[in-house]
Structures are given as C-alpha cells and as structure tokens.
Amino acid sequence: MFPVCQTEKNMNDKKMVYVVEDDGDISEMIVLLLSNADLEVSASATLSDFRELLDSQLPDLIVMDVMLPDGNGMDECRELKESSSLKHIPLLLMSAHAQSHLVISECPADGFIAKPFDIYDFIDRVKLQLA
Amino acid sequence: MIFEQLIKESPLAIYTCDANGRVTFFNDSAAVLWGRKPELLKDYWCGSWKIFHPDGRPMELNSCPMALTLKQGKSFAGEEIVIQRPDDSFRSLLVYPSPVFSEDKVLLGAYNTLVDITENKSGEEKHAILSAIVESSDDAILSKGLDGVIKSWNTGAQKIFGYTEQEMLGRHISTIIPPALISEEEVIISNIKAGKKVDHFQTIRMHKDGHEIDISLTVSPIKDAFGNITGASKVARDISEIKRAERMTIEFAKRQQLLNSIGTAISEKLDVKEILQRVTDATTEITGAAFGAFFYNTYDEKGDSLMLFTVSGAPHEAFEQFEMPTDTAIFHSTFSLERIVRLDDITKDPNYSKNAPYFGIPIEQLDVVSFLVVPVISSSGQVIGVLFFGHPKAGMFKIEHEEIMASVASQAAVALDNSKLFEEVRALSEKKDEFIALASHELKTPLTTLKGYLQMLQNEKGSKMAEFFVQKSLKQLDRLGSLIGDLLDVSKVEAGKLQFNFEIFDLGQTLKDILETFHYNTSSHVISFSGYEGQLLVYGDQQRIEQVIINLLNNAVKYSPRSKQVYVTLETNQDQAVIRVRDNGIGLSKEQQKSIFKRFFRAEGVSDIAGLGLGLYISKEIIDRHKGSFTIASEVGVGSEFCFAIPIKNTDV
C-alpha cells in the first residue's frame, strides 16, 4: 500500500526532502508521511549527518527540528541562509517547544511547524514550499 | 491762732487724744487719710476703721501705738501700721504718737502724726519682686552700657555662662561672644541705639570653660528719666536642649528615611548588590562619613565563599583586593568583628599599623582618622557583613551613630536574609519552570507521532466502527495536547514570560472559523451565533485570543451537561469588541465567581467534570495583557455568561 522509498533513477520526477529529527519515532512517521505524498526523503538524526548528506546532494526542501543533539536548528538555519549556494533551498523548522512567531522573528526560516501537528497542514506547508 | 491754723490745714494728718484715749482733735488731712471722721470724745485711740500689723495680722485698737503711748507714757518715732478704710482700700502709715504731760508729770493726753507711705511702700515691693524674679530666673539677665561694659549679672547668667557676678561686673560683653560672631554685637548695639528691641535672636555664646552654648537673646534699650538710651538689658535663654531636641528630630527623621529606603530595597526585590549599595549610600550619608563601604560575605552557586562589596564616596578600586578570594587573612580579620568599633583617631590606636590593613581595610590609601566599623549579624548569629565608615577629621563619629548603625545593621541583616531566601525561592521556581518546559516538550514528542499515525490511519478505508474509534482517539489526543499547552502557559505566566505576538487581525473571521471547527467536532451541543457579522479588525495575538474563545466554548459545553445550547455573540461599541459565551449549565455561586480566575480553581461539586483549573487563569492573563476586561454573570442552576472585551484597532495604532 505505501510506496517504497525510491532510490533508483527516477529522481528527476520526485522532489527530494531532507528531514533532520533526532526522535526516531517522529522521524519515521514523517518519512512515511512524505513518502506517501510521493516525495523522496532522506532523514538524519544529527546535524553532522545532515551536513554529510548536503555534501553529496542538495535537496529541494529541508524540514528540521530545533533541538538537536549536536546543535540548534535555528543556528543551522541562519548559517544555511548565509551560504550563497544553499540559501535558495526552502527550510521549515519544527519544534514542540517554541512559538512560531518567535522562531520566525529570530531566524530566516521559510516556515515553522509546531508539534504536535496536523498531517494535512504539514503536507500543505511542504507542498507550498516545493511549488 | 497761727499755730492752730497750721495744725488744721497741715498736709500731715495730725490728731490728739485725752489721757483716757478719747479723740479730742483731728485735722482735715487725718480725716482724708482715715476715710472717715471720728466722733470727738467718743472714738478711742484712733480714727482708723481697722488696723493691721505691716505683715497683715490684725491689730487690736486698744494696742495700737497711740493706745500704748497713753497707757505706757512712751513715744514712738515712726511705727509702721496698715489701716483699712471704710471703702476697703489700704494705706501704709508711719505713726509718731507722743505723750503730753503737765509740769507736775500728770498725763494730759497725746498727739499723733500720721505719714502716708503707701506710694513708697509699693515702689519698694515692686523692686523687691523684680529683684527676686531676676535672681531666681533660669535665664541669664544682665545689663550693659552702650560701650558694652556689663553693669549687672544675675545668678542665671552665672549658671549659663559660668562666670560669677564679681568676675563680670565691669568687663566687656565680648568675653562671652565667640570670636567668629563678634560682629553680631555691633549689629545688636546699633539696633539698641536706634531704640529697637532685638527679639528671640538665636545665636551661640561661649561658656567660661570655652564650650559653645545655643542661646536665644532678647535685648531691650534702657532709657534714663529723660528718655535717652543709656544701655541695654539682655535676657539670654539657654536653648541647647531645644537645639539638641531639634537635631534629634532631624536625626530621627533621617533615620526613618533610611530605614524606609532599606525597606523599599527589600520590597522591590532587588538583587543583593543593589541592597548593599542602597544601605551603603544611606548610612554613609547619615553618619556624615567621607566614605562608607559594605562588605558582604555570601556564597556563589558552587557554595564557595564569595565577598561582595559596595562603596559610597570612595573609588571602588581602593577595595579591589577584597575580590581576591585567596586573601583569607584579610577576610577573617574583617569577619571576626562582633561588636561596633568606633575610634576618634585611628592613628592613635595601639593596634594601628601603617603596614597592614586595619580590620582588612586599606586605610592608608583612604586618609582615615575617624573610624567606625559595624558588624552585620544575621538572625542565625553569624557575621555576614561589615559596614565601614571613615572620615579624614578626628572625632567625627558619635555614640548616637553607633546606636543608629546598630539598628540599621539589624535591618540590613533582615533585608539580606530575606534577599537570600528570595533568591533561593526564585532559583527553585526557575528550576520548576525549566522542568515544566522540558516535561511539556517530552510529552509532546510521542503525541506528535501518535497524532501523525492516527491521522494516517483515518485515511485508510476501514470499517465505520474503526473510523469512529480513530476519530474519538484524535479528539482525546487534542485534549491531551491542550492540557500540556496549558501547563506550559501557566508556568510562563508565573514567570512573567508568556510571550505575545501582537498584530492586527480580523476577529470576526477568527470567531467564524472557530465556530465552524467547533460545530464539526461537537455533537452534544448546538452553538448559535448572533451579533456583528463581517470584518472586525482588532490589535492582538490571534492565537492567544483563539485560545481564550476555545477555552470559553469548551467550558460552556463541559459545564452544561443537561443542556444542548450554547450562545455566542459578538458586539462592538466605540472602541471595543465584546464576545459573550452563554450556557444554560450548572452555574456558579457568588463565592465561586470570586475565585474563578484563580490558578487551579475548580468549582465545588464538579469533580466528575475533567479539568486542571488552568483555562480561565490563562485566559484572564491573556485578556489582561490585551488591556481588555473579563466579566462573569452566573446563577447556580440557571447558567453562566462569560464575556471579554478587547480594544478595536484604532486608526492611529
């Protein structure tokens, strides 16, 4: 029933989303959700893993948690948005902690998703960034 | 004939008696003096109505001087008596009765001459009274010539100034005037010469032993019979006590002010450093010290001893060595002090050494002579701090300063103890807030996964029953989410950290959206809306206002289990948007209404209805922060209406 993650050649058809989330259960759920939405997904639990992924391939969208074991998503966002080669990649931050307007006012993220979220809202936000 | 006329018309009162004592003759002057005319040969001894001794004792008529003269044959040369006349007036008289004998020594009678001395008598009495007053007065009363030479000096003057009358008569008034004030005398004399009185002039004069006395002076000109001013009379009152009382009053007021400022320092929840600074500034001012310092021994977060200090009137650098924690010798010498030390001249103190800091104070850098050190002792009896004052002049600190400082030090100890407790409570409260923030984050994490899967499950085609169960589960999940949110909000309200994002938004549309969602999610109640429809721009935090409206709707549904109706209205007036949520539920008593906005408040008898008692507490805070108002009208068994109003966006916002 769920389409299996495509790792083969049809990348041109599918948009690539990098998910950075240290909670394995949430990460798994989001990967499933985005795959169901016909997107290619790569998940990493740490910022260092995420940066490795970035070195090999650039995604079409980044969905990133704020509190990560090796850094803060907001700081990472600021850095990415200062890089001329990466700043064009839309980035959505998510957190169970902060309030959206405070995150947006403090860093140049393209959007904020509060946890727990509504999956329809989540997919809408993702698609809006990919359009 | 001539003699007879002389006797009759003499201004002296004259009368005669025969040997038996009967009045045989009196002249007009005698009748005037007596105030009556005696009957000749019938009145005995005298024409007086009543007679007294000079000291006021009554005198028998037959023992009056004239009677004695006739009975004993002797004469009196000026015996004093007092007579009372029929009109009740008194006269003092000197009487001169003398017997008259025949050639063969037979008593023929006597004559008497009466001299009225009433006027002289009064003058003397007045003088005696005045003298007595002057002598017994506590005030200094003296007189001097225009040249300033002293002519009289009473006992009061001796008491106040220490000089005796003998010492001062003939000396110049400047003897008692402090050299710095000598010009005052010229001013006073020029006033006197102009015939002007100097009234209640407060100044300072000098005692024989050199100490200064606060006095109040009244100086009046003395005139001779022709009206020429010949000198001045001077009344000086010792007002040292009054002045001292005045100074005490000022000291007392200052002290009150100081204590108040310490009180304020506590109530304003200032940090320790600020309390120290205020106490230092206030005490330095009240002691008149050139500079003051407050050393406070406390502990840092790791429990290590830490010295804090504040300085008033001296450079902070002068005490910098106190920030070296290794210098324990200095530290210990300062905090071993258990009583107040006051030195008029520290350089004369045997313990004083130029090479080592005194009590840990680097005095050689600070030019200290007068020295006052006051320990600050906590309620547990520990010396927690030391107040130190210095002045470059000797003898600047007095015993009164010790008393005031002892009281201030105990106030400061209380303030610091309180501040320490307050810090501890605040630290605990911060830990609690941190915990709640962490807990809510951790609780939301599984909630996120759960909600995601449940919503995905909802998309799967399954039985009607399965869909129903999933829907129910999702609703409970949302409740769990909002409870966690409330807990976090409460902790933020407590910490004053509930953040708002104010912007202009359409309250009409917001309310419409909420009601639609609510209608979709609520099967038990019908929510009917009336009132203003269309765009209504307000200035506020949209998410927070939504939170309030949803809270009120949830409450209305929750607390009206037997009713099916909830009414929502939106109204506007000049500058406010008003939302009312009304139910026909269980209602609230007056008592309950008073407590309804308190944290964790749950109405009695609602234990079967779920809730933490946080919703209205948070809602009230949100509306308060919007500068809005929250009101409630309710009756038990009839229902409740909750109403809030927030400002409409003004064109100038």
Side-chain angles (χ1 to χ4, degrees), chain A residues 1-2 23 25-26 28-29 32-33 36 65 67 95-97 99-102 115-120, chain B residues 437-438 440-441 444-445 447-449 451-453 455-456 458-460 488 492 499-501 541 543-544:
Chain A
M1 187 161 309
F2 298 123
D23 186 275
D25 295 330
I26 291 181
E28 194 185 347
M29 190 270 284
L32 186 59
L33 184 61
N36 279 351
D65 192 22
M67 277 167 65
S95 172
H97 223 286
Q99 284 171 273
S100 63
H101 58 270
L102 296 170
K115 294 179 194 171
F117 49 77
D118 183 293
I119 59 166
Y120 305 108
Chain B
L438 184 70
S440 76
H441 181 266
K444 278 178 180 176
T445 302
L447 218 56
T448 307
T449 317
K451 184 167 179 175
Y453 284 122
Q455 280 194 310
M456 281 189 258
Q458 205 173 26
N459 277 350
E460 297 302 315
L488 187 61
K492 282 181 175 172
Q499 281 160 316
F500 286 83
N501 178 36
D541 184 326
Q543 280 183 331
R544 292 293 183 192

Side-chain angles (χ1 to χ4, degrees), chain B residues 552 579-581 588 596 616 630-632 640-644:
Chain B
L552 293 183
I579 288 181
R580 293 173 199 277
V581 177
L588 291 157
I596 195 78
L616 283 173
F630 219 127
T631 51
I632 172 172
S640 304
E641 182 184 86
F642 285 84
C643 165
F644 73 84

